Structures are given as structure tokens and as C-alpha cells.
Amino acid sequence: DQTGNNPFDADSFDPNNPEGKEAMQNAINSLQNPLSYYDLSIDERAIRISQDNSQQNKVNYLEAGSEIIIKSRTDAYRNPIDAVGKAVMTSDFSGLKQLIETYQNLFNGFMSLTVPSDWLELHKKYLLFMKKAEAVYSGISDVQNDTLKESLFVQMVPDIVNEEIEIRQAYYKLVTG
């Protein structure tokens, strides 16, 4: 705590005092949401927004985004569940490292795009997703420091995969009307 004492020390821990309650609540919250360890904020001021919502500007955005995805694709990105399985079963973290780098590259690439203003919410959702995916795969690769956290992150992988599919479907709906 801020006084230099360990709030969970058996000699000084009091679950009824406010500091003890806060420490317990923080511990419970971090177990319920392991992403709370990571900064998932996005500097919205850094997003380049265009008021040009013409069909051509949207096509330009989609083409540029597609190019970023194509350049960033790795074997691990194509099959993240295999990369996670390989890391967990054999301690080969090369696929997870690829995933982490891929999502960093995707995030940076999409931050460099100029997004039509009426597609901004989906763009921000995708940016947040990329940060979340990077955090999940980073958490799994941190097994040597925290096996409980790694286990919680492994359980999140199917949700991460499904969330990316949903975002892709949302982009597809924008294109097809």
C-alpha cells in the first residue's frame, strides 16, 4: 500500500478496514478482468477523421485497410488458436510473438488511416479490439511470471477470435449495404 505495508500481511491485514477492503476488491477485479492490467485507451485526437463520406473516400479507406491487413498477415494471425495451443503445450512462444507484433502493426497501420467520419465508431471499435488482442496474447506469453493470469487469458482467446469475426462482418455490411 501507500504506507509501505503489505495489505495482505497476516499480522496487519484487516478485511474490515477500508484499505483491506480496497485491496481485496482490486485483487478480485484483476482476476475477473485480467485486461485491467493493460492500458487499452486510444488517443482519439490521433485518429485522422475525414468529413468526406463519399463512396470513393470509403473505397480508399477500405483498400488502404485491406493492404495493411495483407501486409501484416502471418501464419499465427491466420490461426491464432494453434499459436496459443503451441505456446501452452510446448512453450514455443514464436506464434504468440507473431500475433503480438501483428496486432501492433495492424493498430499502427489503422491509426495512420484517414477514416470517413460516418465509419469512425467501427474504426475505433477495431482499434480497441487490436489493443485488446495484443494484450491477451501478451498475457499468455507472460506465463513464467503469472500462470493464473495466463490461464485467464487463454480462456479469452475464443472470444477474441469471435470478436474479430464480428468486426469483419460489420465492415462487410458497410460495404454491401
Side-chain angles (χ1 to χ4, degrees):
D1 71 2
Q2 295 173 352
T3 63
N5 297 321
N6 178 354
F8 291 113
D9 183 21
D11 295 332
S12 63
F13 181 69
D14 179 1
N16 296 317
N17 102 10
E19 207 170 68
K21 286 181 181 179
E22 181 181 355
M24 285 189 331
Q25 190 59 49
N26 288 341
I28 291 167
N29 289 343
S30 68
L31 287 175
Q32 291 173 337
N33 182 12
L35 289 172
S36 64
Y37 289 104
Y38 296 89
D39 177 16
L40 298 179
S41 63
I42 296 170
D43 181 5
E44 291 188 24
R45 298 171 307 212
I47 298 174
R48 298 185 332 200
I49 305 166
S50 171
Q51 297 307 313
D52 178 1
N53 289 303
S54 68
Q55 194 67 24
Q56 185 57 51
N57 195 40
K58 291 176 179 179
V59 167
N60 294 344
Y61 168 81
L62 290 170
E63 286 176 348
S66 295
E67 187 64 29
I68 291 166
I69 292 169
I70 289 168
K71 284 181 181 177
S72 299
R73 287 178 58 154
T74 61
D75 289 339
Y77 180 73
R78 287 184 193 96
N79 200 337
I81 292 180
D82 282 354
V84 170
K86 189 175 183 182
V88 171
M89 301 304 271
T90 68
S91 297
D92 178 353
F93 294 94
S94 59
L96 282 179
K97 288 179 183 173
Q98 278 185 356
L99 282 169
I100 294 164
E101 289 174 15
T102 296
Y103 283 106
Q104 289 169 344
N105 293 338
L106 287 170
F107 180 85
N108 292 333
F110 272 75
M111 281 299 290
S112 72
L113 293 178
T114 300
V115 60
S117 62
D118 60 355
W119 286 5
L120 178 60
E121 289 309 309
L122 181 56
H123 184 79
K124 289 190 310 188
K125 183 177 180 177
Y126 194 38
L127 290 170
L128 179 61
F129 164 78
M130 288 181 266
K131 286 193 90 163
K132 186 165 54 171
E134 178 189 347
V136 166
Y137 296 125
S138 293
I140 295 169
S141 69
D142 196 28
V143 64
Q144 66 274 13
N145 293 326
D146 191 339
T147 55
L148 177 60
K149 185 171 71 170
E150 180 246 4
S151 176
L152 293 170
F153 280 124
V154 166
Q155 293 174 31
M156 295 175 77
V157 171
D159 293 335
I160 288 292
V161 170
N162 288 333
E163 186 174 346
E164 186 161 22
I165 290 168
E166 290 171 10
I167 291 171
R168 288 179 185 175
Q169 289 171 339
Y171 271 108
Y172 181 75
K173 285 181 184 176
L174 288 177
V175 174
T176 60

